[in-house]
Amino acid sequence: MRKIWSVATLLSLMACAALAAGWSHYANDRYGYAIDIPPGFSEVAESDNSDGGVSTSADGQTKLRVWGAYIMQDSFADEIAWRIAQDKADGWQISYDRRLAKAASWSGSKGNRIFYQRSVAGCDGAAYYFNLEYDRSALKANDAIVKRLVKSLQGGC
């Protein structure tokens, strides 16, 4: 019970801090993760299976996808390697790749588009993700957004 109260308190404090800076907050009940949503972005449109959803910038040029998923490979590290290989197979040129035991971030480009993806190992064999995709011309404008998203992606365990 104490752990649940601590998680609820942490998520509430994060939500208050996010709102104070003009950011909104999204919490996923199915997987138990939360993330801040940038100012000017839509509410997260939930997917049918409730694993997460999509939020879009006001101009429609930037998409933030958030989701939870169970690790299907042998380990978190293997899952990340598989996901990066999938991005490469989809034609993305990976330019940044940082992997730690419980978190990973990678970024790439394809044509005029750039993406940044983050994953955090979660509870009970799950992982939490976000992917921010935007036009190359918005690279500098999205640097601060990426930093905030990385810090705000949290799970409950």
Side-chain angles (χ1 to χ4, degrees), residues 6 17 28 36 58 61 110 112 120 134 148 150:
S6 297
N28 182 275
D36 294 344
Q61 298 300 306
K110 179 167 49 171
N112 194 38
V120 177
Y134 49 92
R148 174 75 176 257
V150 166

Side-chain angles (χ1 to χ4, degrees), residues 105-122:
S105 296
W106 63 101
S107 182
S109 61
K110 179 167 49 171
N112 194 38
R113 301 293 288 170
I114 292 176
F115 83 91
Y116 185 97
Q117 188 157 314
R118 173 84 169 167
S119 178
V120 177

Side-chain angles (χ1 to χ4, degrees), residues 116-133:
Y116 185 97
Q117 188 157 314
R118 173 84 169 167
S119 178
V120 177
C123 304
D124 301 323
Y128 319 125
Y129 300 87
F130 82 76
N131 177 294
L132 187 71
E133 185 180 330

Side-chain angles (χ1 to χ4, degrees), residues 35-49:
I35 190 167
D36 294 344
I37 305 299
F41 276 62
S42 66
E43 289 186 30
V44 173
E46 281 271 345
S47 62
D48 290 340
N49 68 359

Side-chain angles (χ1 to χ4, degrees), residues 91-104:
W92 291 95
Q93 300 296 314
I94 305 302
S95 57
Y96 176 75
D97 178 354
R98 183 161 188 232
R99 304 178 207 188
L100 303 171
K102 300 275 184 184

Side-chain angles (χ1 to χ4, degrees), residues 37-76:
I37 305 299
F41 276 62
S42 66
E43 289 186 30
V44 173
E46 281 271 345
S47 62
D48 290 340
N49 68 359
S50 300
D51 67 349
V54 178
S55 176
T56 306
S57 63
D59 65 5
Q61 298 300 306
T62 304
K63 290 199 185 295
L64 173 62
R65 295 170 182 88
V66 298
W67 71 98
Y70 289 107
I71 295 170
M72 301 304 289
Q73 306 302 313
D74 291 334
S75 66
F76 179 74

